[in-house]
Amino acid sequence: MSSQKIEFHKTYTRKSRSPWKENDLSRVAMLFDSDSKAGIYLHLGDKGINGMAVSKSLNHKLPDKLQKQYIDADLVDVVMYVFHSEIENYCKESVDEHAFRRIFLLSQDAFFSDSSLYRWQEAFDNFMEQCCN
């Protein structure tokens, strides 16, 4: 039987296979589809966010220059903008508010506010301007 749920926050018990290996201590499931097993994961280390992992089946939604599995921390806002609706829906439907607040120190409503969306869109627009012009 396949798993229908995934832990929102998981601390690794063995070495990560991500490019951040030694400094990759845990991951947060920002989006997970139990049918396809596709997801978007925020990777955390001892100094904060390492970056994000995006499943291959979701990469096509990202700008061409970002269509890869691992995306460094400085471009997390771009990923958040592209997938904001899917991530917000997943978190609000599948993630306990207390668990979310423990990781982000904000309620889901505050995290997914209009001001956050504005910031993510600004990062996306800047990325597109820099990479694609």
Side-chain angles (χ1 to χ4, degrees):
M1 184 165 111
S2 65
S3 173
Q4 297 299 312
K5 290 203 140 229
I6 190 170
E7 289 178 71
F8 175 61
H9 177 258
K10 179 178 175 138
T11 301
Y12 298 131
T13 55
R14 60 185 170 181
K15 190 174 181 180
S16 171
R17 292 176 288 187
S18 78
W20 308 289
K21 296 177 188 344
E22 299 301 323
N23 189 35
D24 202 15
L25 305 176
S26 66
R27 63 108 181 107
V28 177
M30 300 301 293
L31 177 65
F32 178 71
D33 181 307
S34 59
D35 294 328
S36 68
K37 304 296 186 235
I40 297 176
Y41 306 93
L42 187 64
H43 286 257
L44 306 174
D46 59 357
K47 293 182 170 82
I49 296 171
N50 291 326
M52 280 188 142
V54 179
S55 295
K56 290 177 185 173
S57 62
L58 298 172
N59 278 340
H60 70 279
K61 293 184 178 185
L62 292 169
D64 289 345
K65 297 210 185 234
L66 270 186
Q67 290 184 6
K68 54 189 177 181
Q69 182 177 3
Y70 294 105
I71 298 166
D72 286 328
D74 57 338
L75 295 172
V76 164
D77 286 350
V78 176
V79 177
M80 289 300 297
Y81 177 70
V82 172
F83 291 100
H84 70 273
S85 294
E86 294 98 325
I87 290 172
E88 180 176 11
N89 290 339
Y90 171 77
C91 287
K92 287 189 173 181
E93 291 174 11
S94 304
V95 177
D96 174 72
E97 180 70 36
H98 179 73
F100 190 92
R101 188 181 294 266
R102 235 184 24 238
I103 298 299
F104 295 107
L105 306 176
L106 294 169
S107 69
Q108 291 183 31
D109 286 338
F111 187 86
F112 295 109
S113 68
D114 289 343
S115 61
S116 293
L117 180 56
Y118 176 80
R119 172 64 189 107
W120 297 334
Q121 181 176 4
E122 186 177 58
F124 176 83
D125 293 344
N126 289 337
F127 174 79
M128 294 302 288
E129 186 176 304
Q130 291 174 1
C131 86
C132 306
N133 285 337

